[in-house]
Each structure stands twice: as structure tokens, then as C-alpha cells.
């Protein structure tokens, strides 16, 4: 449609027609470009979604992946989220939030839409739109024949509230005695912090890993200027208030006869190392997690997690943590555990070692991803057969698990170790693959313990899951402020994560505990443990019933 300037007509009508034609053509091209751009965004979104799903499936298939894969998954999730937001912004079609429940075959799809699910306990506000009593057409009386009800999910922003406690003074007209109700106890004596506010600060800092300076900014937007120094003091004093309860949790869990254990590094600020170490005054400590989780074999004891901080990775720390432990310890091959498994002077074994098949499988997977070794692939397939059996017996009683393992798993495990010895004769002795085989063969008894006891898990995933919050938190706070700060973090996570393992909302739990603990009898403190706890209202209603 374009014409050189010298070929343009002199007639204004023809010029207007030409301009209109050019505008129509430009509009068509713009529409085509927009369509192509939308298609490209959808394709880009699909590629990102598929990459993300592949990464997650790799993690699911081969257990805990390397930090490189973890970082890739996180970056893919962020990129996919941004793409989805951009596509939704340009989408003018009515929004479809999807069905109430996903279809089974699409349950893992990252782009799946599903209607939000709201608990029945969520407060509901009814707003009626009444057309009135008279017909708008004829003025006749209207009668109710039904109603159409739809739901709009909304949120009331959190707000500060000042509770004024007025203690009325009265005097007796007869004897002039002064009468006044005693002041109620406070979570922190002398402080104006209420239990709900304290619980919010603790869970935000130690559960959601939101630093106090950010909380200060949030509170300021809500109309409350709470200095960071005050928030620091509240956290410390609240943790002191919770100390007796945390000690009960630790004693109960560490006294179990079957524990999962694992550790992870944590960076700690140390002003004596300003010119050396991992950074400007930063050194590396460790956080250990000890987990009791009997749910996979329908055990009677409730789940829980205990976190302990240590300034380094020396074995003396785990020896102290587990000084009184008896029974079975499921952990990785950290050499610090070796003394715990050694027989005592009288010949008895205080702790038996249960090894982690996921840890061994990870070694084979790392070698397979770098070399595509057929031997490593076969090792993965053989171990995968053990997990296929475990999925079918998960949640069954210990005796059922034992019977199934004896019949189905034991022959496969024995065949795996016999095959491992044969492979060592075929591969270079210094290769990483040979190291993986030797690691398994050297701990054959520990790797086979789950075959003789239905309570023992096939791997140490409960402890690894318990340490994931630490990894999430590191992205926010990078390092702990000091060793004492890391110890406080460990103790706070003990109560918060144990509450979550028992299906509790840690915010509601801590708010109730902080409100009640000072008035609660010390010999009945076990009533406030996460697995025994009931809110005051529930406790009263159950007694009335």
C-alpha cells in the first residue's frame, strides 16, 4: 500500500482514502504482532514450566539434589511466576480460577489453576442485596422464591489494637475496705507486649524468617513505632518465658528410642574474625536437627523436632546431644556418630546405626548425571525398587512393614550388595562410583537394619525435611548475629516446627501459650506441649460436654 511521495494523488478525497487504508493495514499488522507476541509468551511460559517440572521430577526421583539444582529450581520458579503475571496482565478474557479439585493426572502441573480452598472455620460475613418490597415494573408486592449466593474472598489487614485494662477500685460502705481485682499476668512482666503480638513477632522472625528491622517497618505502617531494640528485648524475654516448655519438648523427643539426625551449616557473625574466615567477621557453625516421626509406622508417640546449635563440626557436640540416647539413630555417615555406635564396656550397644538409602542413592545419581554410566543407572534402578515397595507400606503398622520387607525387599537388598561386590572388580578403584559402592558395602549392616525392624525408615528424609527451614531462612538473614543468637534460633525453631509437625498453627499456639503459661501450674506443664495442647475455649467446651 505504500507509495513514494511523488506518486501521491492530489485529490484530498483520494488522500483520505489512502490514509484510511494505511491505518487499517497498520492496525492489522499491530494485531498480528500482538498475537505473535502473546504466542511467544505462552511458548516461553510452557518451556519454563516444563523445565521446572523436569527439575522437580529429578529431585523427586533422586532425593535431595545438589545446591546447583536447588538454585536452578528456585530461579525457574521466580521466572515462571513473573511470566504468568505478565500473561495474566494482558489477558482480557474473564478469569477462570479452575475447578475445585485438580484432576489426578494433572495434579503436579505447575500452571494448574484451582479455586481457593477456605476453611469452614474462616469467619463469613453475609451481605444481602434485597430488591425491595415492590416490583419495579408494576409496583406489586414481592415475595421471596430463593436466592443466589456467591462468595468473594477478602482479607482484613492486620491492625494494632491497644487493650486498656481498667482495674476498678471500690470501697466497702460498712468497713471501708478497698477492693480491686489483681492485675492480670503478662507474657513479659512489665512490658506492654500482648501475647498475640509477641507470637506474631516470634513466628515472623523464627518461622517465616522476617528480620526484626523489616517487622519494625511493617508495624510503623500500621501506626505503631516499635523500636528494633524493643523487638529484640521482646524476643529474648518471650523465649525466656517459653524456656520451661521448650525444655520439656527437648526431653521428651531426645528420650525416644528411634531418632533421625542431620545437620546443616549456618554462618555466624564473629567480630574477632573481621580480617579472615568466610567473610568480614563471619564463621561457620552447624545446626543439628533430631526428629521423632512415628507416623510412617503408625506409632503412638507424637512427632517433634529438636534443633541444636554448635560453633563447629566437632564430634563432641553430637556426643553431648545424644549422651543419654538409647535405641536406634538414623543418620548419614558423619564420623562423629561412630563412638555412639561402639559397644560399651559391658558389651551392650547403646545406639544402633540405621543408614540412609537416599544418601547412597544420591552418590550414584551424581555420578550418573556427570558420566551417564550404565552401572550407576542400574544401581539407581535397583534402589528404586526398594522405594516402590516402601510407598505401598507407608503408614502401615511396624509388623506389616516388617513382613512386607522380609518377603519383598530383603532378597533385592541382598542381591544389590552381591552385585555391588562384583562391580567393584570391573571399575577403577579410585573413581567416585567405586567410592559409592564401598560406602554401601562398608555399612551393609546399617543399610539392612530397616529389614529387621518395621519401625526403621528406609532413609533419613524426616531429618532432612526438618532442616529445610534453615535453608529458606539463610536467604533472608544470611548469617546469625552471634553464637547466642544461633542458639536462640535453634530453640525457637524447636517449638515452632514441633507445633507444625503436630498440625498446629504456630501463631495461634504460641499466642495461647504466652497468655497462659505464667498462670499454669508447673506440675501440669505437659498439658501445654504441642501434642497435648487444646485452646482454652475447646478445653472448656469439652469439659461441659
Amino acid at each position: 500500500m505504500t507509495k513514494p511521495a511523488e506518486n501521491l494523488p492530489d485529490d484530498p478525497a483520494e488522500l483520505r482514502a489512502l490514509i484510511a487504508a494505511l491505518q487499517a493495514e497498520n492496525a492489522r499488522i499491530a494485531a498480528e504482532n500482538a498475537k505473535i507476541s502473546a504466542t511467544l509468551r505462552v511458548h516461553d511460559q510452557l518451556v519454563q514450566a516444563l523445565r521446572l517440572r523436569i527439575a522437580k521430577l529429578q529431585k523427586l526421583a533422586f532425593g535431595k539434589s545438589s545446591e546447583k539444582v536447588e538454585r536452578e529450581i528456585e530461579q525457574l520458579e521466580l521466572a515462571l511466576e513473573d511470566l504468568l503475571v505478565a500473561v495474566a496482565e494482558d489477558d482480557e478474557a474473564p478469569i477462570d480460577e479452575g475447578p475445585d479439585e485438580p484432576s489426578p493426572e494433572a495434579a503436579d502441573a505447575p500452571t494448574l489453576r484451582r479455586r481457593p480452598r477456605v476453611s469452614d472455620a474462616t469467619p463469613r460475613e453475609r451481605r444481602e442485596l434485597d430488591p425491595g418490597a415492590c416490583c419495579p415494573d408494576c409496583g406489586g408486592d414481592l415475595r421471596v422464591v430463593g436466592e443466589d449466593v456467591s462468595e468473594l474472598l477478602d482479607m482484613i489487614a492486620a491492625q494494632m489494637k491497644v487493650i486498656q485494662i481498667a482495674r476498678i477500685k471500690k470501697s466497702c460502705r460498712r468497713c471501708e475496705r478497698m477492693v480491686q481485682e489483681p492485675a492480670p499476668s503478662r507474657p513479659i512482666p512489665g512490658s506492654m507486649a500482648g501475647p498475640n503480638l509477641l507470637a506474631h513477632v516470634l513466628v515472623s522472625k523464627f518461622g517465616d524468617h522476617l528480620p526484626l528491622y523489616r517487622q519494625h517497618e511493617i508495624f510503623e505502617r500500621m501506626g505503631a513505632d516499635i523500636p528494633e531494640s524493643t523487638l529484640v528485648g521482646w524476643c529474648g524475654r518471650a523465649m525466656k518465658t517459653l524456656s520451661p516448655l521448650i525444655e520439656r519438648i527437648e526431653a521428651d523427643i531426645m528420650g525416644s528410642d528411634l531418632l533421625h539426625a542431620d545437620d546443616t551449616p549456618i554462618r555466624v557473625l564473629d567480630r574477632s574474625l573481621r580480617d579472615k574466615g568466610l567473610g568480614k567477621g563471619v564463621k561457620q557453625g552447624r545446626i543439628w536437627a533430631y526428629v521423632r516421626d512415628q507416623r510412617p509406622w503408625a506409632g503412638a508417640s507424637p512427632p517433634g523436632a529438636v534443633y541444636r546449635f554448635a560453633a563447629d563440626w566437632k564430634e563432641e557436640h553430637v556426643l553431648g546431644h545424644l549422651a543419654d540416647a538409647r535405641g536406634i539413630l538414623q543418620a548419614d555417615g558423619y564420623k562423629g556418630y561412630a563412638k555412639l555406635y561402639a559397644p560399651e564396656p559391658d558389651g551392650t550397644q547403646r545406639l544402633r546405626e540405621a543408614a540412609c538409602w537416599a544418601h547412597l542413592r544420591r552418590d550414584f545419581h551424581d555420578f550418573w548425571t556427570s558420566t551417564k554410566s550404565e552401572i550407576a543407572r542400574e544401581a539407581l534402578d535397583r534402589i528404586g525398587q526398594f522405594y516402590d515397595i516402601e510407598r505401598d507400606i507407608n503408614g502401615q503398622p511396624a509388623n506389616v512393614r516388617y513382613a512386607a520387607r522380609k518377603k519383598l525387599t530383603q532378597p533385592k537388598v541382598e542381591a544389590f550388595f552381591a552385585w555391588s561386590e562384583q562391580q567393584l572388580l570391573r571399575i577403577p578403584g579410585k573413581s567416585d562410583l567405586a567410592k559409592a559402592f564401598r560406602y554401601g558395602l562398608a555399612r551393609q549392616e546399617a543399610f539392612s537394619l530397616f529389614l529387621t525392624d518395621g519401625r526403621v525408615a528406609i532413609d533419613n528424609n524426616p531429618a532432612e525435611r526438618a532442616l529445610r527451614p534453615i535453608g529458606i531462612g539463610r536467604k533472608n538473614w544470611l548469617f546469625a548475629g552471634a553464637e547466642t543468637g544461633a542458639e536462640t534460633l535453634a530453640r525457637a525453631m524447636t517449638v515452632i516446627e514441633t507445633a507444625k509437625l503436630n498440625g498446629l498453627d504456630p501463631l495461634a499456639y504460641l499466642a495461647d501459650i504466652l497468655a497462659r503459661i505464667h498462670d499454669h501450674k508447673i506440675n501440669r506443664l505437659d498439658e501445654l506441649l504441642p501434642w497435648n495442647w487444646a485452646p482454652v475455649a475447646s478445653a472448656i467446651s469439652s469439659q461441659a460436654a
Side-chain angles (χ1 to χ4, degrees), residues 167-187:
R167 299 165 56 217
I168 308 301
K169 294 181 180 181
K170 294 185 178 181
S171 64
C172 177
R173 292 183 182 274
R174 180 179 299 175
C175 65
E176 298 299 327
R177 178 187 172 185
M178 296 295 296
V179 180
Q180 186 181 34
E181 286 292 311
S185 60
R186 301 188 177 210

Side-chain angles (χ1 to χ4, degrees), residues 477-499:
W477 35 259
L478 299 180
F479 51 78
E483 291 186 7
T484 53
E487 291 169 358
T488 301
L489 168 67
R491 294 170 58 248
M493 289 189 63
T494 293
V495 65
I496 291 173
E497 295 301 319
T498 298

Side-chain angles (χ1 to χ4, degrees), residues 139-450:
D141 293 339
L142 296 178
R143 67 179 185 276
V144 176
V145 295
E147 64 179 11
D148 294 326
V149 179
S150 60
E151 291 191 340
L152 177 69
L153 187 61
D154 206 354
M155 189 176 101
I156 300 173
Q159 61 178 162
M160 290 290 179
K161 179 168 65 173
V162 178
I163 300 175
Q164 294 181 334
I165 302 172
R167 299 165 56 217
I168 308 301
K169 294 181 180 181
K170 294 185 178 181
S171 64
C172 177
R173 292 183 182 274
R174 180 179 299 175
C175 65
E176 298 299 327
R177 178 187 172 185
M178 296 295 296
V179 180
Q180 186 181 34
E181 286 292 311
S185 60
R186 301 188 177 210
I188 302 175
S191 169
M192 69 179 298
N196 288 284
L197 177 57
L198 280 177
H200 184 277
V201 173
L202 289 176
V203 173
S204 296
K205 177 171 175 57
F206 299 114
D208 301 328
H209 309 287
L210 190 66
L212 292 180
Y213 78 89
R214 294 184 187 171
Q215 294 192 50
H216 163 74
E217 294 171 353
I218 293 171
F219 292 148
E220 199 168 30
R221 292 198 300 267
M222 297 165 62
D225 182 9
I226 307 175
E228 289 179 51
S229 58
T230 300
L231 292 173
V232 168
W234 285 359
C235 285
R237 296 298 299 274
M239 288 302 301
K240 184 177 181 180
T241 299
L242 294 171
S243 289
L245 187 68
I246 296 172
E247 291 171 3
R248 294 290 183 97
I249 294 174
E250 292 174 343
D252 194 286
I253 294 172
M254 298 303 288
S256 305
D257 58 359
L258 198 161
L259 283 174
H260 294 267
D262 200 6
D263 65 280
T264 190
I266 178 175
R267 291 156 67 95
V268 182
L269 195 63
D270 187 343
R271 300 188 182 278
S272 66
L273 300 176
R274 291 180 180 178
D275 300 324
K276 53 185 177 180
L278 299 175
K280 293 183 178 180
V282 176
K283 66 179 181 180
Q284 184 162 281
R286 311 293 293 192
I287 290 279
W288 264 272
Y290 300 98
V291 179
R292 175 179 68 196
D293 192 352
Q294 300 182 358
R295 292 173 295 181
W297 52 275
S301 298
V306 171
Y307 296 83
R308 296 282 176 84
F309 168 75
D312 50 50
W313 207 22
K314 295 180 180 178
E315 65 179 21
E316 63 192 50
H317 302 297
V318 295
L319 297 180
H321 299 164
L322 299 167
D324 299 322
R326 297 287 188 278
I328 296 172
L329 179 67
Q330 189 142 25
D332 57 20
Y334 169 57
K335 63 181 181 179
Y337 299 126
K339 291 182 180 179
L340 297 170
Y341 305 135
E344 296 186 332
D346 60 359
T348 60
Q349 193 172 8
R350 184 164 63 88
L351 280 173
R352 289 189 295 163
E353 177 185 8
C356 173
W357 279 97
H359 184 90
L360 179 60
R361 181 177 60 175
R362 207 168 299 137
D363 292 340
F364 288 117
H365 173 252
D366 290 344
F367 190 81
W368 176 77
T369 52
S370 60
T371 65
K372 302 303 178 185
S373 163
E374 291 297 327
I375 296 177
R377 179 71 257 181
E378 184 173 352
L380 290 172
D381 291 340
R382 286 174 176 265
I383 296 175
Q385 294 175 8
F386 309 161
Y387 277 86
D388 292 338
I389 298 169
E390 288 299 307
R391 277 190 285 271
D392 292 334
I393 61 175
N394 186 48
Q396 298 294 320
N399 60 332
V400 175
R401 285 155 60 95
Y402 167 72
R405 289 169 174 173
K406 185 172 182 61
K407 178 182 178 181
L408 303 174
T409 312
Q410 186 168 343
K412 298 181 184 298
V413 172
E414 292 173 351
F416 173 84
F417 285 120
W419 174 78
S420 297
E421 291 177 344
Q422 296 172 1
Q423 303 314 304
L424 279 176
L425 303 176
R426 301 174 50 195
I427 59 179
K430 293 185 179 181
S431 67
D432 290 337
L433 183 59
K435 292 178 182 177
F437 278 122
R438 284 197 295 269
Y439 178 85
L441 289 169
R443 294 172 172 79
Q444 185 170 345
E445 182 179 352
F447 277 107
S448 302
L449 184 61
F450 82 110

